[in-house]
Amino acid sequence: MNNYIKIIFSLFFLAPSAVPAAAHAYAAGVLFQDTARQAARQDSIYPLFFTTKQKDQLVSAVGFADGAALRAVPLTGIGNALTGRIAGLATIQDAGEPGNDQPLFLLRGRTPLVLVDGIPRNIYTILPEQVASVTVLKDALSAAALGLRGADGVILITTRKEAKQRGHNMDFSINTGIAQPLKQRELLSAAAYAELYNEALQNDGRPALYTADDIVKYRNGSAPYTHPDNNWYARVMEKQAPYQRYVLSANGKTDAMGYFLSIDYLEQDGLLNQSSLNSYSTNVDYKRFGFRGNVSIDLSPRTKLSLNIHGSSRRRNAPGGAASLSFAPNTGRLDISTGSISGLFNSILNTPANAYPVYNPDGSFGGNQLFSNNIWGQATGAGYSQINMNDGLADLVLERDMSDVWKGWWVKGTASYTMEIIHNIIRNKSFATYEMKVTGANDTIYRQFGSIGEQANTSGVSVRNGSLFMDFSTGVSRSWNEHHLDVALQYQRSSARYGNQLPFVIKNGIFRAEYRMGNRYILDVVTSYSGNNWYKPGHQYNFYPAAGLGWNVHNENFFPQNSFFDQLKLRTNYGLVGRIDANYFSYLYTYSNYGSAYYIGTGAGGVQGTEESQLPYVRTTEKALKWNIGADLGMLNNRATLSVDYYRNRFYDLLQQRGRNTALLGAPYPAENIGKSQYSGLEATAGWSDKVNAFEYEIAANLAIQRGRIIYNDQPPQAHPWMETAGDRIGQQYGYIADGFVTTAGEGPVVEGYRSVPGDLKYRDLNGDGVINFYDVTKIGPDKPEIYYGISAGFRFKGFDVSLQLAGLANRMMNLTGLGEWEFQNEGRGPAFPHHYNRWTPETAATATYPRLTAGFNPNNHVNSSFWLSSADFLRLKTVALGYTFRGGVLDRLKIKGCRVFASGYNLLTFSGQDRFDPENGSLGYPLQRILNGGISIKF
Amino acid sequence: MLAAVTFIFVFSCRKYETYPVERITDNIVYDSLDKNATYAEWVVNGIYAFLPNGYNRIDNVVLDAATDDAVASNFGNNIEVLGKSRLSAVNNPDDKWALAYEAIRRANLFLANIHVVPRDETTKTYWKAEVRFIRAMNYFELLRRYGGVPLLGDKAYSLEENIQLGRNTFNEVVSYIVQECDAIYPSLRTDPIDNTNLGRITQAAALALKSRTLLLAASPLNNPADDPARWLAAATAAKDVINLGKYSLAGNFREIFTNRKSPEVILAYQAAQHSNLERQNAPVGYVEPNVSQGYVSPTQELVNAFPMQNGLPVTDAASGYDPANPYTGRDPRLAATVFYNGMMWLRRPVETFEGGLDNPSAAVRVSRRTRTGYYLRKFLGDFGNATDYSNQNHNFPIFRYAEILLNYAEAANETDDQAAAYTQLKEIRKRAGLQAGADDLYGLKANMGKTDMREAIRLERRLELAFEEHRYWDLRRWKTAEQMLNKQLTGVKIIRNTDGTFTYSYQPVDYVSFAAKQYAYPVPYKEVTASGGGITQNKDW
């Protein structure tokens, strides 16, 4: 096989990382970090979008993670395994429910597209065991071939393919472990709540509610039905839940074919307590079964056919309640939330400890007019719902080396079909709560709230997506003297159907050319001409060109040949990429009908209405001009590596409402292609790896400093300069500037119309008019760039291996307002929290860190201001994995190539300035989890 | 082999339409072949929904909870933004700017396109006049909130146009509304309207809007020079409605609000039948399925304003008012307006005494409880002896005949025609169920001059039109808000004695405040900045 076919084959049939590295990892039976090692190798092959590049030919900024390292983490999905591994790729895990716990990705400030083998996929369908590698395409050149989908960058996942060497391998692994909730908010006891509530009422000039006797009863628990004291987290949540996973995978290679097969089964229990009254689960359980078969057959020495099939079936269970779904065709991210879970956790943070007894003496659910929804009833008495998610795909790839016709010519065709069906089964019922009232010596009455309903069963298919992707490429690869030229042409068409909408069709013509001279100079050009049918004809297609230059300085004659500097590469690229946000045929001017617009006639019947739909606007793609410049350095026999990248991405044609969107038009203005923003930043990855006798070790660190700014947002001139927002950090927070506490009643400046009392917040009166109103709102968050960093380390000694991963971020602020933060919300019926002990009182005026308490909404204190901003910086020990591999001896006689026993953990330690909640998701909903895992993996 | 690959690309022939053909485009809505004008009629229906609605529309309470008539039962209700001077150009719970211009756009688009549709001219003429009325009504809603606003005429702007308009003056907007009312009057349906078309705009509605507009223009806020010509115009406009002779006061005060069709209602916001108002406003002590929220607490000030049944104020020694039985022998409208202790509701007496079912001790967990000892009763169905709520008609009265009579009385009094004012007030008081008395004055003082009569009319408006969104605007239009809306408000504290009698004492419960700049709402800040200087902000905002 000649060179070019090797490259093509490596795309679909070879593991993406360099053969020796991966083979080494496999043979050792160790799932070892190899970030530093990878960076050092000049012959490592990186999978890119429908092509591959050898490290020393690469002129773009590309992040890489090897699948073996990712699989070492006890995770159900691939997303959380990427945390902290790749400079510039940040993850924010905002939800922890099993099966809904994948993070939000931020790649250089934007949400990247997730591709599997080049095709957009829902990240939940990707099983970690099938992942050979993850490549992150950060800049214009690497993503230019995606054309109108390239602007936000790409996370490209490549699946495992046939074995590298002849023979058959099988690997069976068992993982079992427990998941524990990360930090949850502390709740106040009933007595503490009652005391603070009385104080708040007095602050408001209202009479106290709880008597001293009440508080005694709350404290000693002597009247559990009339004076209950519940810790709702303890009632609803378990301390831990089991988790198990079985994976059987095999790969192999013979003369005519190669294969990779994998079967994966996962069961993860939720952390909710169960009621013995139910024969069914109301827990947030997750079950997943998946398989993949990637098979390739050599039809002739020059022709290869490969077939990849994948299927997964996932089921999420939840307490009764409606499920909601949103699907973003652009990113392939499917968000499924079960309202019952968020509703349950919302209730916990909205219900004081003394609200009602869990059960009344007669066994019915406690409740009252104020709290008619018993939390334990919500968790266990409302039936259950299931979301069944099934997907399947088949890829067929046929390729032929046409060198027999014309030297260096090759052709390739790909067809891929995916379907996804999400089916909900909801078995809801309603329950009643009762308020007990003792009216006489032997007379107790129960007052009912809500109604007891029969279980109502509904089901529906909420998502039916199918998409067909086709690619046809051909190219020529030629070398002469020290020159090398690769030219390829590619046509792609993808057609996806969502529900009853017209297909979403993207057509993409790609031209690539790469010229290299003596492996010193590289010129790489990629152009896409791509478009989408949901845009208006005439505005559907655009050119997205990009070009890059690279210089392998170490291949120059003048480069000193010493052992200190091994490699130095300089590279830069610049290009235009697009972002599709077509909004289903929104260029059409249409009307829509709606029912019961009004009521005419004595019959009181509704009459139909018709109204203008959103006014049409002819959209084009959002676009970004991206520039990246970087250098790669290898030193001390390539034991030390350093990569540095600077980028400046100028987004324009961003969709937003125009600034002068006057209501005089009489209709909302549509979003128009007018916004501009800029993301710039610096990324560095440094590594050190070495071997001292049998002790191999490595450490790698990455850092990203990122700044996103609004360049233009069409804001009309404001009344005061501090109200202007152009130039601000993207995601900036706005509010009043807090200026200490009021010490005497009536003191200001406070919110206009508000009558202050001591302990209220004062604010800075920016326009000097004596009152605080919207003219005094300005930016209150930090203006500094965001910082993301990660550290990976590992060592291997004889049979032992250890690896760990840390990830952190800095210069982020949280706005601690509303739920879980402010006292007695919801007209005063909400709870208070332990941090309210730091409230202002006349005695603690000097040390208070919280305003005086209010029983309900306070229009002066409970508004956005700098007072509520708090640092969200944190550093987490994300993973630790320990293992020992047995080899030889008895195992050889049993034909076992290796057996590794291991223990690993996820989210083990968190360092943060916030002690009340988890700094990543705020601990308002279902908690994030710590996973402790152990297992065995046997290789045959 | 390659042939097979190529084949994959060839079979992708067209299987779908190129755009969603099911969409309703404007040439389907205004279809030159549609004799039924189906969609066009639906457009008109949609525009009807832009008539002003009332009831508990601001954070579950009525607009008049921002006056001295009531407070919200819950603390921190958004109505406090209006009632406690926290209003701003970015926070206005009663902002109507965008909504009104949406109505105006819809009307103008309809007027520009309806000529295409081959429906019979009679119907089209009605529709056009109705739509123009709703447009004028929305200008009125803007006028009393913001003062002069940009008049768009028949123009519906497009996205491409740079809309940078200035504000028309107050007087220009008044003239526009009046001209529109005059212009559409002949084209509207005559009164009384048939059952099928109940709810549609009639000629009387156009006259009523004109009356209300001219009264606003003649009022002290907008007529600082006290130009008598304006009062005369307002009087004439009100008299025109009376002279139409098609409306009269309904016999039963309560039924005005629950009968779908009433001889008194000129125009009402039509709604489906429901029991939401009962559930929002009735006392809080009722259980499933009649759980009620008691959102509004009328004040003692309002209760005190109701006279005795003999028409004499409770402060009058001759009135027969008994402080130990404050609710007996009162103007029957009191019982139709507020819930007070002892009134029957759902087969039991309302208990607003301390610790009663509807005013339970603080330890009892109810959503909220009355702050004043009263709940809002007006507009609710007659459920005194019913077991459970049932759906009722709850059409918000936009114009009713009693208002017209009071408009006329007010304008006539200012033109020194006290006799006319007497006639109207007596008619109102008679219907209310007050006793005529020996002097046949229904408790009114005899021989009142302009000033006394003005006070009498203002009191009558407060009582008769309570919670119908009149007092809030009346106090502004009379320019008395600074005096009337800067004070403590009181409620009653009722102690049930062991012998079953009650002891009443009165205590402050909350305050209401008003700053002079609130006589006009601030124009939404976004509109000021978006206008590029064309739209000036109101004074002191």
Side-chain angles (χ1 to χ4, degrees), chain A residues 721-745:
Chain A
W722 56 85
M723 299 170 79
E724 315 266 350
T725 53
D728 285 359
R729 169 170 157 161
I730 291 167
Q732 179 61 268
Q733 282 143 327
Y734 299 91
Y736 302 135
I737 299 170
D739 233 359
F741 294 110
V742 169
T743 50
T744 54

Side-chain angles (χ1 to χ4, degrees), chain A residues 206 210 354 447 470 497 591 598-599 601-602 608 611-612 658 660 662-663 665 718-719 752 827, chain B residues 5 8 16 24 42 45 74-75 105-106 159 164 195 198 270 287-288 365 367 517 525 527 541:
Chain A
R206 294 161 63 188
Y210 299 101
N354 67 343
R447 194 178 155 192
M470 286 177 289
R497 292 187 308 279
Y591 278 70
Y598 201 65
Y599 298 82
T602 46
Q608 187 106 12
E611 62 185 349
E612 266 185 321
R658 71 175 74 165
R660 292 194 163 157
T662 172
L665 178 69
Q718 296 296 296
E752 186 169 13
E827 301 183 16
Chain B
V5 176
I8 294 171
Y16 298 97
I24 308 158
W42 291 359
N45 294 342
N74 58 325
F75 294 86
R105 174 187 183 80
R106 288 189 186 211
L159 284 179
Q164 296 204 345
N195 285 351
L198 179 79
Q270 305 289 308
V287 297
E288 293 282 357
R365 295 198 170 268
S367 307
K517 64 178 180 179
Y525 177 68
E527 295 303 312
W541 288 106

Side-chain angles (χ1 to χ4, degrees), chain B residues 212-244:
Chain B
R212 195 184 277 180
T213 307
L214 288 173
L215 188 69
L216 175 68
S219 299
L221 179 65
N222 304 307
N223 187 13
D226 201 18
D227 177 2
R230 291 197 179 194
W231 286 115
L232 199 60
T236 311
K239 197 77 189 7
D240 285 345
V241 184
I242 298 168
N243 289 346
L244 204 57

Side-chain angles (χ1 to χ4, degrees), chain B residues 28-254:
Chain B
I28 295 176
V29 174
Y30 300 106
D31 186 346
S32 58
L33 298 173
D34 184 6
K35 289 204 168 70
N36 292 326
T38 310
Y39 283 117
E41 180 166 13
W42 291 359
V43 169
V44 176
N45 294 342
I47 294 171
Y48 261 93
F50 286 85
L51 284 171
N53 202 351
Y55 297 139
N56 299 49
R57 69 179 173 90
I58 294 173
D59 200 0
N60 286 310
V61 304
V62 294
L63 182 66
D64 288 316
T67 69
D68 53 352
D69 277 357
V71 297
S73 301
N74 58 325
F75 294 86
N77 190 291
N78 212 22
I79 194 75
E80 293 181 1
V81 173
L82 296 170
K84 292 186 162 67
S85 307
R86 294 207 296 268
L87 184 64
S88 82
V90 297
N91 182 13
N92 182 352
D94 188 39
D95 183 20
K96 279 282 175 73
W97 186 280
L99 201 66
Y101 278 103
E102 191 183 341
I104 292 161
R105 174 187 183 80
R106 288 189 186 211
N108 287 351
L109 282 173
F110 178 84
L111 295 171
N113 289 300
I114 186 61
H115 66 90
V116 179
V117 186
R119 178 90 190 235
D120 63 283
E121 282 306 318
T122 320
T123 309
K124 278 161 63 175
T125 306
Y126 282 149
W127 283 348
K128 283 191 275 189
E130 289 166 22
V131 160
R132 284 172 71 182
F133 173 88
I134 296 166
R135 181 175 66 181
M137 186 83 224
N138 274 280
Y139 274 117
F140 176 80
E141 294 295 312
L142 289 170
L143 181 72
R144 69 172 168 189
R145 284 173 171 80
Y146 308 99
V149 294
L151 288 168
L152 306 190
D154 289 337
K155 174 95 175 147
Y157 285 92
S158 72
L159 284 179
E160 288 69 36
E161 285 167 291
N162 187 15
I163 310 170
Q164 296 204 345
L165 302 173
R167 294 174 68 170
N168 289 81
T169 63
F170 180 88
N171 290 338
E172 284 166 349
V173 179
V174 169
S175 315
Y176 179 78
I177 297 169
V178 170
Q179 281 163 18
E180 283 291 291
C181 288
D182 289 343
I184 60 178
Y185 176 79
S187 311
L188 285 164
R189 285 188 168 81
T190 53
D191 301 86
I193 198 154
D194 56 290
N195 285 351
T196 323
N197 286 304
L198 179 79
R200 292 200 181 275
I201 314 297
T202 61
Q203 291 186 329
L207 296 181
L209 173 59
K210 186 177 165 185
S211 161
R212 195 184 277 180
T213 307
L214 288 173
L215 188 69
L216 175 68
S219 299
L221 179 65
N222 304 307
N223 187 13
D226 201 18
D227 177 2
R230 291 197 179 194
W231 286 115
L232 199 60
T236 311
K239 197 77 189 7
D240 285 345
V241 184
I242 298 168
N243 289 346
L244 204 57
K246 300 288 177 59
Y247 289 90
S248 60
L249 294 177
N252 183 324
F253 179 70
R254 293 178 190 209

Side-chain angles (χ1 to χ4, degrees), chain B residues 330-350:
Chain B
R330 298 293 292 272
D331 180 341
R333 287 176 297 183
L334 173 62
T337 303
V338 304
F339 283 107
Y340 50 71
N341 189 43
M343 181 189 281
M344 286 301 286
W345 189 248
L346 293 173
R347 293 187 156 176
R348 71 156 170 85
V350 169

